[in-house]
Amino acid sequence: MPRPLWSGAISFGLVTIPVKLMSATEDRSVRFHQVHTEDLGRVRVRKYCEAEDREVSAAEIGKGYEVSKDTLVAVTDEELEQMPLPTAKAIEIVAFVPAASIDPVRLSGDSYFLQYDGQVAAKPYALIARALARNTKVAIAKLAWHGRERLVLLRVRDGALVAHVLKWDDEVRNPSELAPKETKVTDSEIDEALQLIDSMTTEDISGYQDEYRKALEAVIEAKAEGRQPPKPSTEAEEPGGKVVDLMAALQESVRKAQAARGENAGDAEVHEMPKKPAARKPAKKTPDKKTAKKTAAAKKPARRQRGA
C-alpha cells in the first residue's frame, strides 16, 4: 500500500475511530514529457510574473481570486488554515442512505481506502464495517482536505472501508435539455432492448483491459530497443452510416451476445430500412381523335406568302 495521505478519525455518533487515508487506485496511463523534436531536449515550463516580466520562485507564488476582470484578491495560506472547518481532522458521518439512491454522476472518480490507526481502533472499525456490510445502506460523511470540505461516501469492500469523493448538489449540471424530445419507441423495441441487456449481463468485469495502453507500451518498448514498432493486426471498423431497422438490429445484437456466451440463438439478420416509394406522377390522358387533330394543326407553322 502507498503511504497515507491524511490521518484523522471517523466520527460515528459518540464513537471515534482513528484512521489513515490512502489512495485506492493508481493511474497507469502512459505519460509523456515535452521535448524539443530536433535534439529531444526537455522543454520546461517556467513561471513568470506579468507585472515585473521576470521568472519567480515557488516561495514568491501565492493564491489570488479574480472577483472581476481587473481585480484580484490575495488569500494567504495562514488565512485558509484559520477557516472554521469542524471536519479538519475528522470524517464526520452525517447520514446513512440506500446505496441505490446515489447517482453515479456524483462520484468524482477519487477513491480511497481507510486503514484503522492502531489496535484500539480495530474493534470500532470492524463494527461499522460489518454493520454496513449487512444492509444496503452507505454512509455519507464530510471531510476537510486540501483546503476545502468534501462530501464522501463510505462503503465496505472485502472488509475494509472505502471512501468515494462525491460532488456537491450545485456541482452537478441538469441534463434534462439533452434528452430527445417526442421520440416514439414501441413496447416491442423496449422488450427487445431488455432482452439484449439480460443477454449482456455479467457479475464480473475484471477481464477487461486497456488495449490502447498495451499497444502504446509495445510501441515505446520497440522504439527503445531500436526495433520497428509493431503494426496493428486489424484496423478499427468505421462506424456504419446506414440506417437500419431498429428491431432487426436489436434482434441481431441479442443473437450475437447469446452466441458469445455459448447460448443457442436463432438466426437473425439486419435489414436496411425500406425506402419510401417515389411519388407517382399522374398519368397523362390520351386525347381523342378530334382533339389530336386540333392540336396537330395548332403546332404546324404558318406558311409564309411570297411577295409578288
Side-chain angles (χ1 to χ4, degrees):
M1 282 293 173
R3 64 179 181 82
L5 304 173
W6 177 93
S7 62
I10 297 176
S11 174
F12 175 38
L14 297 178
V15 178
T16 300
I17 311 169
V19 292
K20 295 179 180 179
L21 193 75
M22 54 194 64
S23 181
T25 61
E26 57 181 333
D27 188 359
R28 300 294 298 276
S29 301
V30 177
R31 301 288 183 180
F32 295 102
H33 292 300
Q34 287 187 323
V35 297
H36 186 201
T37 55
E38 291 186 4
D39 51 23
L40 295 183
R42 287 285 299 275
V43 176
R44 305 288 183 176
V45 177
R46 302 187 184 278
K47 297 182 179 181
Y48 273 75
C49 172
E50 293 181 352
E52 299 182 14
D53 191 24
R54 68 177 180 87
E55 186 178 349
V56 293
S57 64
E60 299 176 90
I61 299 175
K63 297 179 178 66
Y65 182 82
E66 186 176 2
V67 294
S68 63
K69 186 177 180 181
D70 299 318
T71 306
L72 287 170
V73 174
V75 179
T76 65
D77 292 336
E78 291 76 13
E79 289 172 329
L80 292 175
E81 290 174 359
Q82 294 173 4
M83 293 291 295
L85 284 175
T87 55
K89 293 298 289 182
I91 300 175
E92 180 187 355
I93 295 178
V94 295
F96 291 89
V97 299
S101 68
I102 301 297
D103 187 346
V105 77
R106 296 191 64 172
L107 296 171
S108 69
D110 296 327
S111 301
Y112 303 92
F113 288 138
L114 290 169
Q115 180 187 32
Y116 65 91
D117 191 4
Q119 192 57 38
V120 177
K123 185 170 182 177
Y125 183 100
L127 172 64
I128 187 173
R130 292 174 187 176
L132 284 174
R134 286 194 183 185
N135 59 47
T136 58
K137 293 184 176 64
V138 293
I140 302 299
K142 286 185 175 183
L143 165 66
W145 191 27
H146 287 316
R148 57 174 296 192
E149 192 168 49
R150 302 165 190 263
L151 196 66
V152 297
L153 177 155
L154 300 181
R155 68 178 184 89
V156 181
R157 184 176 189 267
D158 296 332
L161 291 175
V162 188
H164 302 280
V165 180
L166 298 174
K167 296 288 187 183
W168 296 96
D169 283 341
D170 58 359
E171 292 180 317
V172 180
R173 296 189 178 100
N174 185 357
S176 59
E177 62 183 23
L178 305 178
K181 302 295 188 297
E182 300 179 358
T183 303
K184 184 178 179 180
V185 180
T186 66
D187 290 338
S188 298
E189 290 169 336
I190 295 175
D191 291 340
E192 200 67 37
L194 290 174
Q195 187 177 350
L196 177 58
I197 291 173
D198 290 340
S199 63
M200 295 179 65
T201 299
T202 181
E203 298 294 334
D204 183 19
I205 60 170
S206 60
Y208 297 104
Q209 299 180 1
D210 187 346
E211 301 296 338
Y212 175 80
R213 177 168 61 88
K214 289 173 60 179
L216 183 55
E217 288 174 345
V219 169
I220 294 173
E221 182 181 356
K223 297 193 74 173
E225 296 176 355
R227 297 183 287 107
Q228 279 291 104
K231 294 183 179 180
S233 56
T234 57
E235 295 183 358
E237 295 183 1
E238 291 289 335
K242 295 189 298 183
V243 177
V244 298
D245 183 343
L246 181 57
M247 179 60 78
L250 286 169
Q251 292 172 347
E252 174 68 4
S253 299
V254 170
R255 187 192 68 79
K256 287 185 176 181
Q258 291 175 340
R261 296 167 69 107
E263 300 175 8
N264 187 20
D267 295 334
E269 296 180 356
V270 180
H271 303 281
E272 290 189 29
M273 289 287 286
K275 296 180 180 180
K276 293 183 179 180
R280 296 179 61 184
K281 296 181 179 180
K284 295 182 178 180
K285 294 183 179 180
T286 304
D288 54 19
K289 293 181 179 180
K290 292 182 179 180
T291 306
K293 287 181 179 180
K294 290 181 179 179
T295 304
K299 288 183 178 180
K300 288 183 179 181
R303 294 181 180 177
R304 293 182 182 179
Q305 294 181 356
R306 295 181 180 178

